[in-house]
PDB file of all heavy atoms in Angstrom:
ATOM      1  N   ARG A  55     257.996-127.059 165.314  1.00  0.00           N
ATOM      2  CA  ARG A  55     258.888-127.894 164.504  1.00  0.00           C
ATOM      3  C   ARG A  55     260.319-127.360 164.548  1.00  0.00           C
ATOM      4  O   ARG A  55     261.284-128.140 164.592  1.00  0.00           O
ATOM      5  CB  ARG A  55     258.388-127.941 163.067  1.00  0.00           C
ATOM      6  CG  ARG A  55     259.199-128.865 162.194  1.00  0.00           C
ATOM      7  CD  ARG A  55     258.596-128.996 160.835  1.00  0.00           C
ATOM      8  NE  ARG A  55     257.352-129.732 160.905  1.00  0.00           N
ATOM      9  CZ  ARG A  55     256.596-130.008 159.859  1.00  0.00           C
ATOM     10  NH1 ARG A  55     256.956-129.608 158.663  1.00  0.00           N
ATOM     11  NH2 ARG A  55     255.483-130.682 159.985  1.00  0.00           N
ATOM     12  N   ALA A  56     260.467-126.037 164.527  1.00  0.00           N
ATOM     13  CA  ALA A  56     261.799-125.443 164.580  1.00  0.00           C
ATOM     14  C   ALA A  56     262.479-125.758 165.915  1.00  0.00           C
ATOM     15  O   ALA A  56     263.676-126.059 165.950  1.00  0.00           O
ATOM     16  CB  ALA A  56     261.710-123.935 164.384  1.00  0.00           C
ATOM     17  N   LYS A  57     261.726-125.700 167.003  1.00  0.00           N
ATOM     18  CA  LYS A  57     262.295-126.012 168.313  1.00  0.00           C
ATOM     19  C   LYS A  57     262.737-127.474 168.367  1.00  0.00           C
ATOM     20  O   LYS A  57     263.827-127.790 168.862  1.00  0.00           O
ATOM     21  CB  LYS A  57     261.278-125.733 169.413  1.00  0.00           C
ATOM     22  CG  LYS A  57     261.825-126.016 170.797  1.00  0.00           C
ATOM     23  CD  LYS A  57     260.800-125.723 171.865  1.00  0.00           C
ATOM     24  CE  LYS A  57     261.344-126.050 173.245  1.00  0.00           C
ATOM     25  NZ  LYS A  57     260.325-125.881 174.269  1.00  0.00           N
ATOM     26  N   ALA A  58     261.910-128.368 167.842  1.00  0.00           N
ATOM     27  CA  ALA A  58     262.263-129.787 167.817  1.00  0.00           C
ATOM     28  C   ALA A  58     263.521-130.018 166.979  1.00  0.00           C
ATOM     29  O   ALA A  58     264.399-130.804 167.357  1.00  0.00           O
ATOM     30  CB  ALA A  58     261.098-130.606 167.276  1.00  0.00           C
ATOM     31  N   ALA A  59     263.617-129.319 165.861  1.00  0.00           N
ATOM     32  CA  ALA A  59     264.805-129.461 165.009  1.00  0.00           C
ATOM     33  C   ALA A  59     266.049-128.954 165.731  1.00  0.00           C
ATOM     34  O   ALA A  59     267.119-129.562 165.631  1.00  0.00           O
ATOM     35  CB  ALA A  59     264.600-128.700 163.699  1.00  0.00           C
ATOM     36  N   ARG A  60     265.923-127.837 166.459  1.00  0.00           N
ATOM     37  CA  ARG A  60     267.067-127.328 167.231  1.00  0.00           C
ATOM     38  C   ARG A  60     267.503-128.333 168.286  1.00  0.00           C
ATOM     39  O   ARG A  60     268.697-128.564 168.491  1.00  0.00           O
ATOM     40  CB  ARG A  60     266.712-126.001 167.905  1.00  0.00           C
ATOM     41  CG  ARG A  60     266.884-124.792 167.025  1.00  0.00           C
ATOM     42  CD  ARG A  60     266.894-123.505 167.840  1.00  0.00           C
ATOM     43  NE  ARG A  60     265.779-123.397 168.762  1.00  0.00           N
ATOM     44  CZ  ARG A  60     264.570-122.931 168.435  1.00  0.00           C
ATOM     45  NH1 ARG A  60     264.328-122.530 167.212  1.00  0.00           N
ATOM     46  NH2 ARG A  60     263.621-122.859 169.336  1.00  0.00           N
ATOM     47  N   LEU A  61     266.534-128.929 168.989  1.00  0.00           N
ATOM     48  CA  LEU A  61     266.861-129.913 170.019  1.00  0.00           C
ATOM     49  C   LEU A  61     267.521-131.148 169.412  1.00  0.00           C
ATOM     50  O   LEU A  61     268.484-131.688 169.980  1.00  0.00           O
ATOM     51  CB  LEU A  61     265.597-130.300 170.802  1.00  0.00           C
ATOM     52  CG  LEU A  61     264.997-129.191 171.655  1.00  0.00           C
ATOM     53  CD1 LEU A  61     263.670-129.636 172.250  1.00  0.00           C
ATOM     54  CD2 LEU A  61     265.964-128.782 172.748  1.00  0.00           C
ATOM     55  N   ARG A  62     267.012-131.613 168.273  1.00  0.00           N
ATOM     56  CA  ARG A  62     267.636-132.762 167.603  1.00  0.00           C
ATOM     57  C   ARG A  62     269.059-132.449 167.185  1.00  0.00           C
ATOM     58  O   ARG A  62     269.975-133.260 167.357  1.00  0.00           O
ATOM     59  CB  ARG A  62     266.828-133.170 166.369  1.00  0.00           C
ATOM     60  CG  ARG A  62     265.666-134.080 166.664  1.00  0.00           C
ATOM     61  CD  ARG A  62     265.114-134.706 165.399  1.00  0.00           C
ATOM     62  NE  ARG A  62     264.809-133.729 164.360  1.00  0.00           N
ATOM     63  CZ  ARG A  62     263.647-133.076 164.264  1.00  0.00           C
ATOM     64  NH1 ARG A  62     262.689-133.287 165.144  1.00  0.00           N
ATOM     65  NH2 ARG A  62     263.458-132.210 163.294  1.00  0.00           N
ATOM     66  N   HIS A  63     269.261-131.249 166.650  1.00  0.00           N
ATOM     67  CA  HIS A  63     270.604-130.855 166.232  1.00  0.00           C
ATOM     68  C   HIS A  63     271.544-130.779 167.430  1.00  0.00           C
ATOM     69  O   HIS A  63     272.700-131.231 167.353  1.00  0.00           O
ATOM     70  CB  HIS A  63     270.542-129.509 165.506  1.00  0.00           C
ATOM     71  CG  HIS A  63     271.874-129.038 165.034  1.00  0.00           C
ATOM     72  ND1 HIS A  63     272.548-129.652 164.010  1.00  0.00           N
ATOM     73  CD2 HIS A  63     272.668-128.026 165.459  1.00  0.00           C
ATOM     74  CE1 HIS A  63     273.698-129.027 163.825  1.00  0.00           C
ATOM     75  NE2 HIS A  63     273.791-128.046 164.688  1.00  0.00           N
ATOM     76  N   ALA A  64     271.066-130.216 168.540  1.00  0.00           N
ATOM     77  CA  ALA A  64     271.899-130.130 169.745  1.00  0.00           C
ATOM     78  C   ALA A  64     272.267-131.523 170.244  1.00  0.00           C
ATOM     79  O   ALA A  64     273.416-131.765 170.649  1.00  0.00           O
ATOM     80  CB  ALA A  64     271.167-129.346 170.836  1.00  0.00           C
ATOM     81  N   MET A  65     271.324-132.447 170.215  1.00  0.00           N
ATOM     82  CA  MET A  65     271.615-133.816 170.649  1.00  0.00           C
ATOM     83  C   MET A  65     272.642-134.474 169.728  1.00  0.00           C
ATOM     84  O   MET A  65     273.564-135.150 170.196  1.00  0.00           O
ATOM     85  CB  MET A  65     270.321-134.640 170.665  1.00  0.00           C
ATOM     86  CG  MET A  65     270.512-136.051 171.130  1.00  0.00           C
ATOM     87  SD  MET A  65     271.079-136.175 172.834  1.00  0.00           S
ATOM     88  CE  MET A  65     269.593-135.724 173.700  1.00  0.00           C
ATOM     89  N   ARG A  66     272.492-134.251 168.428  1.00  0.00           N
ATOM     90  CA  ARG A  66     273.463-134.799 167.472  1.00  0.00           C
ATOM     91  C   ARG A  66     274.853-134.255 167.749  1.00  0.00           C
ATOM     92  O   ARG A  66     275.840-134.998 167.707  1.00  0.00           O
ATOM     93  CB  ARG A  66     273.047-134.431 166.055  1.00  0.00           C
ATOM     94  CG  ARG A  66     272.586-135.601 165.241  1.00  0.00           C
ATOM     95  CD  ARG A  66     272.459-135.308 163.764  1.00  0.00           C
ATOM     96  NE  ARG A  66     272.256-133.944 163.357  1.00  0.00           N
ATOM     97  CZ  ARG A  66     271.073-133.382 163.125  1.00  0.00           C
ATOM     98  NH1 ARG A  66     269.972-134.067 163.273  1.00  0.00           N
ATOM     99  NH2 ARG A  66     270.997-132.140 162.733  1.00  0.00           N
ATOM    100  N   MET A  67     274.927-132.956 168.040  1.00  0.00           N
ATOM    101  CA  MET A  67     276.230-132.355 168.270  1.00  0.00           C
ATOM    102  C   MET A  67     276.851-132.844 169.574  1.00  0.00           C
ATOM    103  O   MET A  67     278.062-132.998 169.678  1.00  0.00           O
ATOM    104  CB  MET A  67     276.124-130.819 168.273  1.00  0.00           C
ATOM    105  CG  MET A  67     275.718-130.240 166.937  1.00  0.00           C
ATOM    106  SD  MET A  67     276.686-130.861 165.562  1.00  0.00           S
ATOM    107  CE  MET A  67     278.199-129.986 165.809  1.00  0.00           C
ATOM    108  N   ARG A  68     276.029-133.107 170.587  1.00  0.00           N
ATOM    109  CA  ARG A  68     276.548-133.611 171.861  1.00  0.00           C
ATOM    110  C   ARG A  68     277.096-135.021 171.726  1.00  0.00           C
ATOM    111  O   ARG A  68     278.046-135.398 172.397  1.00  0.00           O
ATOM    112  CB  ARG A  68     275.454-133.604 172.935  1.00  0.00           C
ATOM    113  CG  ARG A  68     275.316-132.278 173.631  1.00  0.00           C
ATOM    114  CD  ARG A  68     274.528-132.429 174.911  1.00  0.00           C
ATOM    115  NE  ARG A  68     273.196-132.954 174.688  1.00  0.00           N
ATOM    116  CZ  ARG A  68     272.115-132.218 174.503  1.00  0.00           C
ATOM    117  NH1 ARG A  68     272.199-130.901 174.508  1.00  0.00           N
ATOM    118  NH2 ARG A  68     270.943-132.780 174.318  1.00  0.00           N
ATOM    119  N   THR A  69     276.465-135.833 170.878  1.00  0.00           N
ATOM    120  CA  THR A  69     276.872-137.228 170.770  1.00  0.00           C
ATOM    121  C   THR A  69     277.891-137.467 169.677  1.00  0.00           C
ATOM    122  O   THR A  69     278.369-138.579 169.503  1.00  0.00           O
ATOM    123  CB  THR A  69     275.641-138.134 170.512  1.00  0.00           C
ATOM    124  OG1 THR A  69     275.009-137.699 169.308  1.00  0.00           O
ATOM    125  CG2 THR A  69     274.659-138.062 171.662  1.00  0.00           C
ATOM    126  N   PHE A  70     278.246-136.412 168.935  1.00  0.00           N
ATOM    127  CA  PHE A  70     279.217-136.558 167.854  1.00  0.00           C
ATOM    128  C   PHE A  70     280.617-136.705 168.437  1.00  0.00           C
ATOM    129  O   PHE A  70     280.998-135.993 169.353  1.00  0.00           O
ATOM    130  CB  PHE A  70     279.157-135.328 166.939  1.00  0.00           C
ATOM    131  CG  PHE A  70     280.068-135.438 165.761  1.00  0.00           C
ATOM    132  CD1 PHE A  70     279.726-136.213 164.680  1.00  0.00           C
ATOM    133  CD2 PHE A  70     281.270-134.755 165.734  1.00  0.00           C
ATOM    134  CE1 PHE A  70     280.563-136.307 163.575  1.00  0.00           C
ATOM    135  CE2 PHE A  70     282.102-134.834 164.648  1.00  0.00           C
ATOM    136  CZ  PHE A  70     281.751-135.619 163.570  1.00  0.00           C
ATOM    137  N   ARG A  71     281.377-137.667 167.924  1.00  0.00           N
ATOM    138  CA  ARG A  71     282.747-137.867 168.402  1.00  0.00           C
ATOM    139  C   ARG A  71     283.741-137.279 167.421  1.00  0.00           C
ATOM    140  O   ARG A  71     283.674-137.573 166.230  1.00  0.00           O
ATOM    141  CB  ARG A  71     283.030-139.361 168.571  1.00  0.00           C
ATOM    142  CG  ARG A  71     282.302-139.955 169.734  1.00  0.00           C
ATOM    143  CD  ARG A  71     282.784-141.369 169.939  1.00  0.00           C
ATOM    144  NE  ARG A  71     282.293-141.845 171.204  1.00  0.00           N
ATOM    145  CZ  ARG A  71     283.051-141.902 172.302  1.00  0.00           C
ATOM    146  NH1 ARG A  71     284.304-141.546 172.269  1.00  0.00           N
ATOM    147  NH2 ARG A  71     282.537-142.322 173.431  1.00  0.00           N
ATOM    148  N   TRP A  72     284.675-136.510 167.907  1.00  0.00           N
ATOM    149  CA  TRP A  72     285.719-135.945 167.064  1.00  0.00           C
ATOM    150  C   TRP A  72     286.768-136.977 166.940  1.00  0.00           C
ATOM    151  O   TRP A  72     287.565-137.274 166.380  1.00  0.00           O
ATOM    152  CB  TRP A  72     286.284-134.667 167.674  1.00  0.00           C
ATOM    153  CG  TRP A  72     285.263-133.601 167.784  1.00  0.00           C
ATOM    154  CD1 TRP A  72     284.532-133.289 168.886  1.00  0.00           C
ATOM    155  CD2 TRP A  72     284.792-132.734 166.749  1.00  0.00           C
ATOM    156  NE1 TRP A  72     283.655-132.278 168.602  1.00  0.00           N
ATOM    157  CE2 TRP A  72     283.800-131.923 167.307  1.00  0.00           C
ATOM    158  CE3 TRP A  72     285.131-132.590 165.418  1.00  0.00           C
ATOM    159  CZ2 TRP A  72     283.147-130.972 166.562  1.00  0.00           C
ATOM    160  CZ3 TRP A  72     284.474-131.624 164.702  1.00  0.00           C
ATOM    161  CH2 TRP A  72     283.492-130.831 165.266  1.00  0.00           C
TER     162      TRP A  72
END
Side-chain angles (χ1 to χ4, degrees):
R55 184 174 290 180
K57 181 180 178 185
R60 276 196 310 275
L61 293 173
R62 276 193 308 274
H63 181 70
M65 181 63 73
R66 249 193 336 266
M67 295 310 285
R68 275 196 301 268
T69 59
F70 183 77
R71 289 188 169 259
W72 297 97

